[in-house]
Amino acid sequence: MHYHFSIPEAQTQYINIAVEMTTAEAQTTLQFPTWRPGRYELGNFAKNVRYFKVTDAEGKEIVAKKTSHSVWTVDTANTDKITVKYQYYAAELNAGSTFLDKTQLYVNPVNCCVYNPSLMEEKCTVTFEVPETWQLASSFDKEGDVYSAKDVHELMDTPFIWSPNLQMQTYEMGGTLFYVWFNGEVKPQWDKIIKDFKAFTEKQIEKFTEFPVKEYHFIFQITPYKLYHGVEHQKSTVIALGPSYAVFEELYTEFLGVSSHELYHTWNVKAIRPIEMMPYDYTKENYSPMGYLCEGVTTYMGDLFLMKSGVFDMEQYFKEMRTQLQRHFDNPGRFNHSVAESSFDTWLDGYVPGAPGRKVSIYVEGCLMAFVTDVMIRRHTDNKRGLDEVMRQLYFNYGAKGIGVSEADYKAMIENVAGVSFDWLFEEYLHGTKGYEAILYDCFEYLGIEMLHEPSKKYSEGRLGFKVLESATSCVLKAIYPGGPADMAGAMLEDNVVAVNNCKVNGDLDKWLNYFDDDIKVLTVERKGQLVELTMPEVQRYFYSTYDLKLTENPDKNQRFALDAWSK
């Protein structure tokens, strides 16, 4: 199949795409992807297509019958070649989208490339009509003006940016050439970037002993507005981050974190992949309970390798882990839905809050269980092995061979490395809803780390059991602690608190709550156009807590040894 992209009217944000393909059957199926790897939800990208037309080898139009939301069938009994032409609307800019304006052509082919399922293993070639002054950031192979991917899977996994504003530098590590591309308004601090990227790249390669590909591209879309998103690919990653002025200031930790995370995906997910996703099926949901491996282990390892490489110090690492702890303990869904069940259900509502208290996050709970797995392996091997050894063996025994990993495979590999049964982990935690608190305390203590918690200093959270999104004009309830005062008073999510004891709230809710500390507190809320009064009952306990980590002041020699082995 050959794809041609042109952008004659960039201001419309429609990309012109033409696809030439051979036909060997009486009827040819044309399939549009319905989701993209790295995002476990349906995308139904065909919704952005217009002017879909098919012609035969002589240029004569033939009927393309749409048989589902993302499939067309074409009668090809009398032709050995067809050309498919259409326009794709590209108006969304994030790390997994496709976007066009006068400054760039940014494409994730899995969004916009129709394909013939019977030609999945065939080579794909790509050409472009773009301004001569534009430069390409991509991992495509190139011969002259023709770019190529070895098959449809590689095409779908090869994002690219054409732009006149690209900035790039490279570094080499372990025989692989790494490109760092920036697009958008940004002033890269190259010395700082290359030093830190070399450090965490070297450490990740050291643990796996090899990098899966010989060329890798970090492609950054930097925006003038707030954005944080990354998507993994075998030979590249696209990371969208903003605002521009903050990237190398207050957002630099996030910049490093998402970069390390996406690099680790090169082994985990792009090579070590759940058996249910080997190979990817772009036509439907790819259900798997193993989000805790795909995203949880990657979240854990991405931050851990920043510490192991010296890019993060211990306190910076603790800051990231505190965030995971806070998200876990704030979510009552941990009592109702296991991380494995939540993984399977990402296809329902994986990236929005969904029904309150129903599910957990494969990133958060997966990260915490990866930490527990790591520490427990170290405990049973006198700190000689850890989760990184499990992942290394999964890579060489499965990922590098193109073999999918089942839950049984993952469990067996953990047990082989640790030398003990991990039935309890899978039954009680990954597939169960047993509380994490005790085992987290135990694992942190093994390393000489104290996990601390105290009631939230915000009156609304600690004393009344609700969280708000507050601004100068609104104060909206976003979380309610089950059985807390707000819950018992009849508060509902999305209630807008307008007054406390008849005193109007203007971005100062907690000040009013503290002022009325010794009084009965009556909250006036706006609910769907009506004003409702909620009387908060007096309860002698605390609700939402904040979590912290710190090193034990006087660790014993075993804790010092364990911490050193884990963090280096």
Side-chain angles (χ1 to χ4, degrees):
M1 288 184 286
H2 175 74
Y3 294 80
H4 182 74
F5 292 80
S6 60
I7 49 172
E9 297 178 293
Q11 77 279 2
T12 68
Q13 296 194 282
Y14 273 100
I15 305 169
N16 287 2
I17 302 174
V19 190
E20 297 176 1
M21 64 181 75
T22 57
T23 59
E25 300 173 344
Q27 190 175 73
T28 296
T29 296
L30 301 173
Q31 174 75 54
F32 234 85
T34 63
W35 71 289
R36 62 168 179 78
R39 187 103 174 159
Y40 312 110
E41 68 176 2
L42 292 176
N44 295 324
F45 303 116
K47 64 182 179 288
N48 294 320
V49 173
R50 75 175 186 182
Y51 298 152
F52 194 89
K53 185 172 83 169
V54 181
T55 56
D56 63 16
E58 298 178 352
K60 184 185 300 183
E61 186 170 353
I62 52 180
V63 175
K65 182 180 180 181
K66 198 167 189 181
T67 56
S68 81
H69 57 76
S70 298
V71 176
W72 291 258
T73 58
V74 184
D75 183 357
T76 52
N78 298 316
T79 185
D80 61 358
K81 177 179 152 183
I82 59 173
T83 300
V84 186
K85 293 183 178 180
Y86 56 94
Q87 293 183 326
Y88 187 86
Y89 186 56
E92 184 176 12
L93 181 56
N94 59 47
S97 65
T98 293
F99 182 81
L100 172 66
D101 67 7
K102 66 180 182 180
T103 70
Q104 67 173 308
L105 168 62
Y106 164 46
V107 172
N108 273 275
V110 74
N111 298 161
C112 61
C113 287
V114 71
Y115 64 96
N116 181 344
S118 67
L119 301 177
M120 290 294 292
E121 308 305 319
E122 300 298 317
K123 181 178 179 179
C124 299
T125 55
V126 187
T127 52
F128 304 96
E129 284 183 58
V130 296
E132 291 184 359
T133 57
W134 286 19
Q135 187 180 7
L136 177 66
S138 167
S139 63
F140 276 130
D141 291 330
K142 181 184 179 184
E143 293 183 18
D145 292 331
V146 178
Y147 300 83
S148 65
K150 68 179 182 179
D151 56 24
V152 171
H153 288 295
E154 185 171 273
L155 173 71
M156 297 300 177
D157 199 40
T158 307
F160 60 85
I161 300 176
W162 279 99
S163 173
N165 303 315
L166 289 166
Q167 302 178 66
M168 182 269 290
Q169 285 200 17
T170 64
Y171 65 95
E172 189 274 336
M173 191 64 61
T176 295
L177 184 61
F178 291 86
Y179 291 78
V180 183
W181 297 91
F182 284 94
N183 188 50
E185 176 54 52
V186 61
K187 299 176 180 178
Q189 297 180 17
W190 286 113
D191 289 346
K192 186 177 183 181
I193 296 167
I194 299 302
K195 175 178 175 291
D196 289 339
F197 276 46
K198 276 186 172 182
F200 70 72
T201 301
E202 181 178 32
K203 201 66 177 179
Q204 290 192 21
I205 294 175
E206 175 189 313
K207 293 298 182 182
F208 278 103
T209 72
E210 72 173 33
F211 196 69
V213 295
K214 294 300 180 184
E215 182 178 296
Y216 187 86
H217 298 253
F218 290 95
I219 303 173
F220 291 95
Q221 285 275 23
I222 306 301
T223 61
Y225 50 85
K226 186 177 181 180
L227 186 60
Y228 178 88
H229 186 212
V231 176
E232 71 273 9
H233 304 279
Q234 184 66 72
K235 297 181 181 179
S236 65
T237 178
V238 178
I239 294 169
L241 196 64
S244 306
Y245 58 77
V247 172
F248 298 105
E249 298 299 333
E250 59 265 35
L251 287 181
Y252 191 62
T253 295
E254 284 78 5
F255 173 78
L256 292 172
V258 68
S259 299
S260 181
H261 177 107
E262 300 304 338
L263 183 66
Y264 194 85
H265 267 315
T266 313
W267 291 278
N268 189 30
V269 173
K270 301 314 297 182
I272 304 165
R273 193 183 306 168
I275 196 168
E276 299 89 346
M277 298 182 182
M278 185 66 80
Y280 291 128
D281 184 344
Y282 308 104
T283 70
K284 62 182 181 180
E285 300 92 332
N286 288 201
Y287 295 106
S288 172
M290 298 181 71
Y292 57 79
L293 172 62
C294 298
E295 298 299 343
V297 169
T298 303
T299 298
Y300 172 64
M301 288 296 192
D303 289 336
L304 186 64
F305 274 109
L306 288 171
M307 180 176 66
K308 285 178 176 288
S309 63
V311 176
F312 278 2
D313 60 24
M314 188 70 75
E315 180 52 37
Q316 287 173 303
Y317 176 79
F318 282 174
K319 179 182 177 183
E320 301 306 310
M321 184 58 91
R322 285 186 203 111
T323 299
Q324 306 300 338
L325 292 170
Q326 196 67 53
R327 289 172 177 167
H328 169 73
F329 287 112
D330 281 354
N331 181 9
R334 60 195 167 99
F335 300 118
N336 302 316
H337 225 43
S338 72
V339 65
E341 291 173 314
S342 297
S343 174
F344 196 90
D345 281 1
T346 54
W347 297 92
L348 293 174
D349 56 4
Y351 297 89
V352 296
R358 191 185 78 85
K359 64 176 183 179
V360 295
S361 164
I362 58 176
Y363 297 84
V364 174
E365 279 67 30
C367 171
L368 296 178
M369 281 299 103
F371 165 71
V372 167
T373 305
D374 191 12
V375 173
M376 287 304 204
I377 293 171
R378 293 178 182 281
R379 174 176 280 175
H380 289 292
T381 61
D382 294 327
N383 297 297
K384 295 175 183 176
R385 292 180 168 186
L387 184 57
D388 50 11
E389 177 62 18
V390 171
M391 300 305 291
R392 189 185 71 82
Q393 292 195 29
L394 285 176
Y395 170 67
F396 282 105
N397 291 325
Y398 294 89
K401 297 177 180 179
I403 302 171
V405 177
S406 69
E407 276 199 302
D409 296 328
Y410 179 50
K411 179 173 179 288
M413 190 65 75
I414 293 172
E415 293 175 339
N416 180 61
V417 171
V420 297
S421 171
F422 270 70
D423 286 349
W424 58 272
L425 177 76
F426 284 79
E427 293 172 5
E428 298 177 1
Y429 294 97
L430 297 179
H431 282 270
T433 55
K434 186 173 181 178
Y436 286 15
E437 192 163 8
I439 197 164
L440 287 171
Y441 272 117
D442 184 44
C443 288
F444 281 121
E445 183 182 18
Y446 178 77
L447 299 173
I449 299 171
E450 293 184 61
M451 187 174 86
L452 309 171
H453 66 91
E454 63 178 6
S456 172
K457 291 183 171 59
K458 290 187 176 182
Y459 199 109
S460 56
E461 297 178 4
R463 298 287 298 279
L464 300 181
F466 68 91
K467 294 190 173 216
V468 297
L469 180 62
E470 192 169 13
S471 69
T473 58
S474 66
C475 185
V476 180
L477 271 70
K478 292 297 182 181
I480 300 171
Y481 198 99
D487 187 25
M488 291 189 288
M492 296 175 65
L493 294 177
E494 302 305 316
D495 282 350
N496 180 26
V497 182
V498 296
V500 177
N501 291 359
N502 293 319
C503 295
K504 188 176 180 180
V505 170
N506 292 297
D508 52 4
L509 172 65
D510 259 50
K511 290 181 179 179
W512 281 116
L513 292 174
N514 276 290
Y515 177 78
F516 289 115
D517 181 31
D518 295 327
D519 304 317
I520 298 295
K521 287 164 281 296
V522 178
L523 274 59
T524 303
V525 302
E526 180 184 4
R527 178 184 297 166
K528 297 186 182 302
Q530 294 184 321
L531 294 179
V532 179
E533 290 192 345
L534 305 173
T535 302
M536 298 290 112
E538 294 294 322
V539 179
Q540 299 305 310
R541 57 162 292 198
Y542 289 94
F543 298 93
Y544 285 109
S545 295
T546 56
Y547 289 80
D548 199 3
L549 296 171
K550 72 173 187 177
L551 292 174
T552 302
E553 290 187 9
N554 296 300
D556 61 36
K557 64 178 182 180
N558 292 329
Q559 289 174 318
R560 288 195 297 270
F561 182 75
L563 181 67
D564 187 65
W566 169 73
S567 62
K568 293 299 192 295

